[in-house]
Amino acid sequence: MACLLKNGLSLPGSCETIMSSRNKGSLLSVGAVQVADSRTNDFLGKTLIISDQKGFRGPNAKASRPLSVNAQASFCVSRSMRWWEKTLKPNMIEIHSTQELVDGLLNAGDRLVIIDFYSPGCGGCKALHPKICQLAEANQNAIFLKVNYEEHKPMCHSLNIHVLPFFRFYRGAEGRLCSFSCTNATIKKFKDALAKYGTQRSSVGEEAKGLEESEMLALSSIGKISRKLPMESALIHRVEDLVMGMGMGMGMGKAQIGIQETSELLVA
């Protein structure tokens, strides 16, 4: 099942809630409660009413009565629960920053690059992970860039990622080839894309395109990447070529002025 990204996703696991209560000026330690619900933050900072049960009585308690406590929650994921780190292959690379993603696409040459957007709390992502690892092992010339949605939400929002698991295929100067969401039930969609785009190609002398220009500008606007990127230089050259073509019949002086003014606008 795919995960829709509306209010964010919680990490799996239990939460240990440490509770205490003040009784006549003294601090009464009550104990710990294990909460299995993944939405553990719903009660953080609120008052909980717990009936007086065995294991929750103070040493001088005389009668059974409700106990009011303030809850504080701490959350951690054990190494055994980090399924997204298991069975990774050498061509599967975890992305730690937006700049790493941009560089990974630009430096891949003609190799097929697959961006795998996932979340630790997404059941569909967890179920699909072993098969993606198998496909990565069978297609070692492809590069799999793994993006943790929980750690890179602003970047994912700028790239219009709204459902998980989600995949994007890129190659060299062609840029983005396709994008789609799939689960275990629709894994054929992923395999078909591999069969279609996985054949090694050659485009000697052509620069890799990477992300779309609109996506680069969106990431730049939120400060996730520097504005001084190769994309801007390439964009300026494209505009220069366009202006030069338009200025063929009006004299080089005016065309050159148009190039200069357009370049200044792009790098302002």
Side-chain angles (χ1 to χ4, degrees), residues 1-153:
M1 180 181 295
C3 301
L4 293 177
L5 304 173
K6 293 184 178 180
N7 299 319
L9 300 173
S10 301
L11 295 177
S14 63
C15 175
E16 183 180 86
T17 305
I18 308 299
M19 290 181 277
S20 61
S21 174
R22 292 190 177 276
N23 186 11
K24 294 183 181 181
S26 62
L27 181 64
L28 173 62
S29 179
V30 182
V33 174
Q34 294 292 328
V35 182
D37 190 351
S38 62
R39 296 173 61 93
T40 52
N41 288 336
D42 291 346
F43 61 82
L44 182 59
K46 297 181 181 179
T47 298
L48 302 180
I49 306 298
I50 300 178
S51 60
D52 190 3
Q53 301 177 12
K54 183 177 180 181
F56 288 91
R57 296 189 179 212
N60 299 320
K62 295 181 179 180
S64 176
R65 57 187 177 84
L67 179 63
S68 176
V69 298
N70 288 324
Q72 292 182 337
S74 60
F75 191 88
C76 62
V77 181
S78 66
R79 298 295 298 181
S80 61
M81 294 173 62
R82 299 176 71 89
W83 58 264
W84 58 95
E85 295 181 348
K86 294 182 177 179
T87 64
L88 292 181
K89 306 307 175 184
N91 57 333
M92 302 180 77
I93 303 170
E94 186 72 26
I95 294 298
H96 299 102
S97 69
T98 303
Q99 192 64 57
E100 278 191 16
L101 179 65
V102 172
D103 293 342
L105 290 171
L106 295 178
N107 297 330
D110 292 325
R111 296 179 68 180
L112 178 65
V113 181
I114 301 168
I115 306 180
D116 175 3
F117 296 92
Y118 72 95
S119 170
C122 172
C125 300
K126 180 178 180 180
L128 190 61
H129 178 70
K131 290 187 177 180
I132 297 299
C133 291
Q134 292 175 3
L135 291 170
E137 185 174 24
N139 296 269
Q140 296 184 12
N141 195 52
I143 301 173
F144 289 70
L145 303 180
K146 296 180 61 63
V147 177
N148 187 330
Y149 174 85
E150 298 298 331
E151 294 183 356
H152 304 288
K153 285 184 180 180

